Amino acid sequence: MKENRYDYIIVGAGSAGCVLANRLTEDGRSRVLLLETGGSDKSIFIQMPTALSIPMNTKKYAWQFETEPEPYLDNRRMHCPRGKVLGGSSSINGMVYVRGHARDFDEWDAEGATGWDYQHVLPYFKKAETWAFGGDDYRGGSGPLGVNNGNGMKNPLYKAFIRAGADSGYLETEDYNGAQQEGFGAMHMTVKNGRRASTANAYLRPAMNRHNLTVVTHALVHKVLLEDKTATGVRFEQGGKVQEVHAREEVILSAGSIGSPHLLQLSGIGRREVLENAGIEVRHELPGVGENLQDHLEFYFQFRCKQPVSLNRRLDWWNKLKIGVRWILRKDGLGATNHFESCGFIRSKAGVEWPDLQYHFLPAAMRYDGREAFDGDGFQLHVGHNKPKSRGFVHVQSADPTQPPRIRFNYLQHEADREGFRDCVRRTRELISQPAMDEYRGAEIQPGEHIQSDEEIDTFVRQAVESAYHPSCSCRMGTDDKAVVDPRTRVHGLKNLRVVDSSIFPTIPNGNLNAPTIMVAERAADLIRGREPLQPAGVPVVMDEQWQSRQRPGEPERASG
């Protein structure tokens, strides 16, 4: 590198880092260095939406982290891939666009992240987005991120699933990212012109021709450099050569919910006991670093399909080839969608104020690696309890930056989380038994009709549940002694150091995490530049007014509990 001094140094070119790189260089004056451990995102398997399972399971594009044995999941080690490529996890994820419920962000504000309530964050969701059907009070019409519904639910199973929700007494929602999340409707994805709309494509690539942005790939950051209580730069390694670069203004960590706490700890910032056990000198004691780790779990409910309409008949090599060739030539067809084109958000029981269960509907029955689950036609629902109370940690193991941290989520430690998954099983069976699914519904393959009691469901869930790949909250934003960053994203007790990514969420939202991570980076960019935040939206939010006494609008009211 010719230079070693910049205004801002951003660590991690992922969902947040690419946004910051774009926004902090808009003025043409601030010199920004963006460091990324991975490399190019130009692979067809990243850019073609239907190939989403490949980059996530490829070492070249993703950190293949693994948890410690999870004590409440029969000591299973869980897969925890994180993006290691331009675009980060937005280049390897499922492209599902869910902001979360309005109350999720009001919860952040109540937890000490002052100013991050729904009305204040909505303008930043809008700023980031171009919604395929045009902007309005809730949706953006001119942002970098393209959002649409894939192929418009051409497969009849998508709409049958939505009708089944209505048959069950749930609401339909025209836009779960708008005024009303609760209900069943079309699902949205970050795809533009048939290509994955990662933050590398949406934000970074348009900024890479700016003279004041430098992007360095294959750079493993070892630590943040500190002088007393001030961050002055970072030390990183590229091609076997260790270098130091310095920041005039700030160092910003956007390495994700595993990478950011790990890098803080490698730098001597964190809980004293954790650092000393790893042989790292304590430079700044901050006990919340790496704690409060949260994630979403899900399992898939699989059914045989009585009609020859599922995607299972498109999973042979010949049909995959035709889909791929069409996408290469035209950027449309089955190659241009993630296939999750309808969804549902429901409350698990009366007394739950906003949805805590989420459905992704897939008109195929397949395994997580993309292979057929069984011969013949089928469909499946990915379902999970999205407001977990269990908490885990990310702990540095060694001063060697090439050694991964210890990761444990303590999945299903809390009884409320186990109860939530029992609700998932019972609500889903009721849903799929509705008349709308009669012409399609075949035998239940998984969990299997023999799984009925609480004990049987708990055993099945422990063995079958998988991560939804939403690690978050490990550098919590707030003002108490366990918070890592303040509401302006600055690390407590240190100068010129921020964390901006999903690790600073106080609690995990009800939905996928790419959209709120991008929103956080958009708002943080204004805070970093000293700009006044956008004016709060002041829009209504549609809620079930009888949430305390009923689980869904279409059932009789009853006492909560």
Side-chain angles (χ1 to χ4, degrees):
M1 291 178 59
K2 295 181 180 179
E3 297 186 45
N4 71 347
R5 190 169 294 277
Y6 297 83
D7 293 308
Y8 299 99
I9 298 172
I10 303 168
V11 179
S15 294
C18 289
V19 176
L20 293 174
N22 183 302
R23 297 307 190 191
L24 296 182
T25 57
E26 282 180 323
D27 62 9
R29 297 187 300 273
S30 298
R31 301 190 65 82
V32 174
L33 173 64
L34 177 64
L35 297 172
E36 168 56 44
T37 306
S40 171
D41 63 331
K42 292 184 178 179
S43 166
I44 188 175
F45 299 119
I46 290 177
Q47 300 301 326
M48 181 166 62
T50 195
L52 60 95
S53 67
I54 296 175
M56 181 177 289
N57 293 289
T58 302
K59 289 183 178 180
K60 180 179 179 180
Y61 302 124
W63 299 98
Q64 300 296 325
F65 292 122
E66 192 175 63
T67 71
E68 293 187 335
E70 289 287 348
Y72 307 96
L73 293 185
D74 294 343
N75 288 317
R76 295 164 57 202
R77 290 183 180 270
M78 303 292 281
H79 186 212
C80 183
R82 296 287 84 204
K84 187 177 63 174
V85 62
L86 292 179
S89 293
S90 75
S91 288
I92 69 165
N93 68 2
M95 292 157 284
V96 175
Y97 183 82
V98 183
R99 294 173 174 176
H101 194 279
R103 288 289 187 268
D104 291 321
F105 305 104
D106 295 341
E107 182 178 68
W108 287 11
D109 186 80
E111 291 277 328
T114 307
W116 292 84
D117 60 277
Y118 177 68
Q119 301 296 344
H120 281 85
V121 303
L122 176 57
Y124 288 97
F125 279 118
K126 293 178 62 179
K127 181 179 180 179
E129 172 195 45
T130 293
W131 173 227
F133 300 101
D136 57 28
D137 288 346
Y138 300 87
R139 304 306 297 263
S142 58
L145 192 71
V147 182
N148 66 21
N149 178 238
N151 284 330
M153 299 191 295
K154 292 178 182 177
N155 190 297
L157 287 166
Y158 292 124
K159 293 179 180 178
F161 172 70
I162 295 171
R163 291 196 303 271
D167 288 348
S168 300
Y170 296 106
L171 300 170
E172 289 190 47
T173 177
E174 292 185 3
D175 183 358
Y176 64 83
N177 284 311
Q180 174 192 319
Q181 186 193 60
E182 186 169 0
F184 288 75
M187 182 160 256
H188 311 157
M189 64 187 74
T190 48
V191 173
K192 183 177 182 180
N193 298 326
R195 299 169 66 93
R196 175 190 289 270
S198 65
T199 55
N201 285 336
Y203 285 90
L204 182 59
R205 199 144 283 116
M208 287 181 75
N209 61 355
R210 296 175 184 162
H211 68 90
N212 55 328
L213 174 63
T214 301
V215 180
V216 177
T217 56
H218 306 293
L220 176 65
V221 176
H222 289 190
K223 65 190 300 185
V224 176
L225 303 174
L226 296 173
E227 290 184 6
D228 295 326
K229 297 294 184 179
T230 301
T232 60
V234 302
R235 180 179 299 158
F236 72 95
E237 181 178 347
Q238 184 193 43
K241 180 181 178 182
V242 177
Q243 308 176 57
E244 292 186 356
V245 288
H246 299 275
R248 298 183 187 94
E249 298 291 338
E250 293 184 337
V251 174
I252 306 164
L253 303 187
S254 295
S257 290
I258 307 301
S260 286
H262 187 220
L263 187 52
L264 287 172
Q265 292 165 347
L266 286 168
S267 308
I269 304 165
R271 202 170 110 201
R272 179 174 294 276
E273 177 186 2
V274 172
L275 301 180
E276 290 178 343
N277 286 343
I280 295 172
E281 177 189 359
V282 180
R283 299 295 304 279
H284 181 64
E285 190 167 3
L286 198 57
V289 173
E291 309 303 320
N292 194 48
L293 181 65
Q294 299 169 44
D295 190 18
H296 289 145
L297 287 173
E298 66 178 14
F299 68 89
Y300 43 83
F301 236 107
Q302 292 182 328
F303 294 84
R304 291 191 180 275
C305 183
K306 295 190 294 186
Q307 300 292 332
V309 295
S310 80
L311 297 179
N312 283 62
R313 56 189 54 241
R314 302 292 189 93
L315 296 177
D316 61 278
W317 72 268
W318 174 242
N319 273 292
K320 286 182 177 180
L321 177 62
K322 290 194 294 183
I323 290 169
V325 169
R326 176 172 174 172
W327 183 83
I328 290 170
L329 296 176
R330 299 172 51 181
K331 299 297 184 293
D332 64 5
L334 293 177
T337 176
N338 62 10
H339 305 292
F340 293 112
E341 296 187 18
S342 63
C343 64
F345 297 89
I346 65 173
R347 293 177 292 111
S348 57
K349 57 179 62 65
V352 173
E353 186 178 0
W354 69 91
D356 59 341
L357 305 186
Q358 178 181 2
Y359 290 103
H360 301 62
F361 183 84
L362 185 69
M366 61 178 65
R367 306 185 317 197
Y368 267 84
D369 61 8
R371 299 180 183 177
E372 289 181 85
F374 50 78
D375 292 333
D377 283 279
F379 60 87
Q380 67 192 38
L381 301 83
H382 294 227
V383 58
H385 176 244
N386 272 9
K387 297 298 288 184
K389 294 189 176 181
S390 302
R391 300 291 184 263
F393 59 78
V394 177
H395 287 171
V396 65
Q397 297 191 85
S398 164
D400 181 354
T402 67
Q403 294 300 308
R406 294 174 56 212
I407 303 168
R408 186 193 299 166
F409 289 92
N410 288 318
Y411 292 120
L412 301 186
Q413 178 183 38
H414 201 287
E415 170 61 22
D417 301 346
R418 298 191 288 272
E419 183 178 334
F421 273 91
R422 294 174 204 141
D423 291 331
C424 286
V425 172
R426 295 189 168 111
R427 300 298 184 200
T428 304
R429 282 182 170 146
E430 180 188 23
L431 174 67
I432 299 302
S433 71
Q434 299 303 314
M437 297 301 297
D438 284 351
E439 63 179 304
Y440 304 111
R441 182 186 59 253
E444 180 183 313
I445 302 300
Q446 181 174 289
E449 294 179 0
H450 62 287
I451 305 296
Q452 293 291 336
S453 69
D454 285 358
E455 182 178 359
E456 289 167 341
I457 292 172
D458 289 351
T459 299
F460 163 77
V461 169
R462 288 196 304 272
Q463 296 171 353
V465 78
E466 298 287 348
S467 171
Y469 309 123
H470 299 160
S472 53
C473 310
S474 53
C475 294
R476 180 170 66 83
M477 178 165 44
T479 55
D480 60 90
D481 59 2
K482 291 295 179 67
V484 176
V485 302
D486 68 13
R488 298 185 68 84
T489 73
R490 301 170 299 194
V491 175
H492 283 296
L494 295 174
K495 294 180 179 178
N496 300 347
L497 181 61
R498 296 186 194 246
V499 181
V500 179
D501 55 32
S502 62
S503 71
I504 71 172
F505 295 2
T507 55
I508 193 167
N510 178 40
N512 307 65
L513 298 196
N514 193 45
T517 302
I518 292 169
M519 174 277 291
V520 162
E522 284 278 17
R523 192 169 192 271
D526 275 355
L527 297 174
I528 292 166
R529 293 183 297 184
R531 291 186 174 184
E532 284 295 318
L534 298 177
Q535 288 297 306
V539 297
V541 174
V542 177
M543 306 278 289
D544 183 358
E545 294 180 356
Q546 280 78 50
W547 62 269
Q548 292 178 308
S549 59
R550 65 185 185 189
Q551 184 260 334
R552 73 196 90 169
E555 74 173 2
E557 295 182 33
R558 61 178 185 276
S560 62

